């Protein structure tokens, strides 16, 4: 399957802080700085107004029930971890000062205002909002790069979302394969979806990974992912909905190292020859020699020519070109052939 992405481009690695700050703005800024210092290209938070997301009696998702104990409804949980718009602006200011690229997952029309800040280059649309066409239509008016997560989405739903996002101007969209289960089981990750989405939509593709693996993102890069998003936390055992589907700071650093090694292994989309390979070339290839004595005027044939590793002479790929030609020289058995 052809990948429509060039392996020369560096994989963009997103450290998804999300709500792992547990509502503490100082923790949020600290995590952003730690992510930058270990090599993340971008840090991301979630910006939302709880009253615009959830009804007050909506039950918790299964993973929220498992990963948190103090909440009975999604509304209660979201309210606990909600960043105010002022908090978000403070985080952006902090990131700008420390040269940390930042983005937000956008969940509602009020939160869109944050993207007026010219320092923010990407808009992230989380999986749960892919069918929220009201929100998508508003986001389509903003000229920024789009990251679109596709957890739980059908091909028709993805196609519709892309169409709406492009209605005012063609956007630079990266589709992220995503399994909306926290943490995602290894057996459910199905990484071939990355190349499938790439082929289907002719857009850059990546992975929003909710497994606890340090290695899976590297496999995704090998399949053509140009962007990796992964949750980051100070403590994977902390109370909260996403900590258990996150990597600790040391593990996230290992993941980045693995991705960068994978990029080097993949190289570029070309047939290149290394200096070491060039040194070996002459000594591992075959050259033409005399299989039998060949007199002047004898015709070269399959019966009097053969090949050996000799390190010099006429290369074996000339075999059929000289067959039938008359020899200008006398050759003993084993002599290098000249023409």
């Amino acid at each position: 399957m052809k990948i429509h992405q060039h392996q020369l481009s560096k994989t963009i690695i997103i450290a998804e802080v999300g709500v792992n700050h547990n509502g503490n703005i100082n923790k949020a800024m600290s995590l952003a700085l730690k992510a930058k210092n270990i090599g993340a290209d971008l840090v991301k938070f979630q910006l939302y107004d709880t009253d615009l997301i959830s009804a007050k009696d909506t039950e918790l998702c299964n993973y929220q029930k498992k990963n948190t104990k103090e909440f009975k409804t999604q509304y209660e949980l979201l309210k606990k971890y909600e960043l105010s718009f002022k908090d978000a602006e403070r985080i952006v200011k902090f990131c700008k000062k420390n040269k940390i690229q930042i983005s937000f997952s956008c969940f509602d029309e009020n939160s869109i205002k944050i993207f007026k800040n010219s320092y923010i280059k990407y808009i992230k649309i989380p999986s749960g909002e892919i069918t929220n066409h009201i929100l998508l239509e508003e986001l389509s008016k903003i000229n920024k790069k789009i990251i679109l997560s596709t957890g739980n989405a059908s091909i028709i739903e993805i196609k519709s979302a892309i169409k709406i996002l492009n209605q005012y101007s063609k956007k630079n969209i990266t589709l992220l394969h995503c399994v909306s289960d926290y943490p995602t089981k290894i057996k459910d990750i199905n990484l071939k979806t990355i190349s499938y989405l790439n082929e289907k939509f002719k857009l850059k593709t990546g992975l929003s990974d909710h497994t606890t693996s340090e290695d899976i993102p590297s496999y995704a890069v090998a399949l053509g992912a140009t962007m990796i998003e992964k949750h980051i936390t100070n403590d994977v055992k902390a109370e909260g909905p996403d900590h258990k589907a996150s990597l600790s700071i040391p593990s996230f650093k290992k993941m980045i190292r693995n991705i960068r090694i994978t990029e080097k292994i993949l190289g570029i989309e070309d047939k290149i020859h290394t200096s070491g390979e060039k040194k070996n070339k002459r000594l591992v290839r075959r050259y033409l020699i005399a299989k039998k004595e060949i007199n002047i005027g004898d015709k070269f044939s399959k019966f009097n020519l053969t090949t050996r590793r000799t390190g010099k002479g006429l290369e074996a790929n000339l075999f059929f070109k000289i067959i039938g030609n008359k020899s200008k020289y006398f050759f003993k058995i084993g002599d290098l052939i000249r023409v």
Side-chain angles (χ1 to χ4, degrees):
M1 184 177 288
K2 187 178 178 183
I3 302 296
H4 297 269
Q5 298 158 188
H6 204 284
Q7 295 293 356
L8 272 174
S9 56
K10 181 184 173 188
T11 309
I12 297 167
I13 299 172
I14 302 171
E16 163 70 298
V17 176
V19 295
N20 283 347
H21 48 70
N22 284 12
N24 184 317
I25 189 170
N26 291 322
K27 279 186 180 177
M29 292 188 289
S30 172
L31 270 167
L33 192 57
K34 287 176 182 177
K36 183 212 172 187
N37 289 340
I38 61 171
D41 299 298
L42 181 74
V43 296
K44 191 175 72 63
F45 297 86
Q46 293 179 9
L47 187 60
Y48 57 85
D49 182 335
T50 303
D51 290 302
L52 297 178
I53 295 186
S54 179
K56 292 195 174 180
D57 59 352
T58 303
E59 66 177 293
L60 294 168
C61 300
N62 284 335
Y63 79 91
Q64 291 170 335
K65 289 176 185 175
K66 286 180 188 175
N67 298 343
T68 60
K69 296 171 185 175
E70 60 179 298
F71 308 107
K72 293 181 179 178
T73 65
Q74 282 196 47
Y75 184 91
E76 288 177 3
L77 183 147
L78 290 165
K79 202 69 178 171
K80 161 83 174 179
Y81 299 113
E82 181 182 287
L83 288 173
S84 71
F85 198 83
K86 282 188 177 179
D87 287 341
E89 288 183 316
R90 276 185 65 193
I91 294 169
V92 174
K93 191 175 179 181
F94 172 83
C95 285
K96 187 175 181 180
K97 182 182 175 183
N98 289 280
K99 297 180 180 177
I100 304 167
Q101 285 297 311
I102 181 173
S103 184
F104 293 88
S105 289
C106 185
F107 291 82
D108 58 76
E109 299 92 294
N110 280 359
S111 302
I112 289 174
K113 297 193 297 281
I114 199 72
F115 298 112
K116 289 180 180 177
N117 191 309
S118 61
Y119 187 68
I120 301 173
K121 307 300 181 191
Y122 288 91
I123 297 171
K124 171 64 192 292
I125 301 167
S127 294
E129 304 304 320
I130 199 164
T131 56
N132 185 357
H133 289 185
I134 301 167
L135 177 66
L136 299 186
E137 206 250 349
E138 288 301 312
L139 290 173
S140 71
K141 298 171 186 176
I142 305 171
N143 189 25
K144 294 200 185 259
K145 294 176 182 177
I146 302 285
I147 304 166
L148 180 61
S149 269
T150 61
N152 266 326
S154 67
I155 292 299
I156 291 171
E157 288 168 342
I158 297 168
K159 189 176 181 181
S160 296
I162 292 167
K163 186 177 180 181
I164 292 170
L165 290 168
N166 281 329
Q167 66 179 318
Y168 286 98
S169 61
K170 191 167 177 62
K171 300 294 190 299
N172 181 330
I173 299 173
T174 301
L175 296 177
L176 296 187
H177 169 48
C178 174
V179 179
S180 297
D181 193 16
Y182 307 80
T184 301
K185 298 179 182 70
I186 300 293
K187 69 181 180 65
D188 294 333
I189 193 65
N190 200 48
L191 286 184
K192 285 188 177 180
T193 302
I194 294 166
S195 45
Y196 174 73
L197 290 174
N198 176 265
E199 191 71 25
K200 193 83 177 171
F201 294 102
K202 307 298 186 283
L203 293 172
K204 289 177 287 185
T205 51
L207 175 69
S208 179
D209 182 25
H210 301 132
T211 70
T212 56
S213 169
E214 298 167 3
D215 301 319
I216 280 175
S218 298
Y219 308 149
V221 170
L223 283 169
T226 61
M227 183 178 284
I228 298 294
E229 178 184 87
K230 188 92 166 175
H231 281 77
I232 191 169
T233 182
N234 283 317
D235 181 7
V236 295
K237 294 179 181 178
E239 180 73 15
D242 296 333
H243 293 285
K244 289 181 176 63
S246 305
L247 292 184
S248 66
I249 305 296
S251 292
F252 204 98
K253 187 176 181 180
K254 285 180 188 174
M255 181 199 79
I256 292 174
R257 180 177 172 272
N258 291 345
I259 289 171
R260 299 305 179 215
I261 289 170
T262 300
E263 288 171 332
K264 287 181 182 177
I265 293 167
L266 289 172
I268 62 171
E269 292 175 341
D270 196 3
K271 182 69 175 78
I272 60 172
H273 306 288
T274 68
S275 57
E277 190 180 29
K278 288 174 184 175
K279 288 175 185 176
N280 295 328
K281 178 179 176 180
R282 182 175 55 83
L283 297 171
V284 299
R285 287 195 166 183
R286 288 181 177 244
Y287 296 86
L288 296 174
I289 65 166
K291 187 177 182 181
K292 294 182 176 180
E293 278 192 0
I294 302 172
N295 293 304
I296 295 172
D298 286 353
K299 285 185 178 181
F300 293 120
S301 70
K302 292 181 180 180
F303 302 105
N304 60 20
L305 289 181
T306 190
T307 63
R308 293 287 185 276
R309 291 185 180 183
T310 61
K312 57 185 177 180
L314 296 179
E315 289 203 43
N317 58 4
L318 295 174
F319 185 85
F320 290 104
K321 288 187 178 180
I322 70 168
I323 280 181
N325 293 343
K326 289 182 178 179
S327 175
K328 298 177 184 177
Y329 309 96
F330 168 74
F331 298 101
K332 300 192 300 292
I333 295 172
D335 280 354
L336 289 172
I337 298 298
R338 295 174 289 148
V339 291

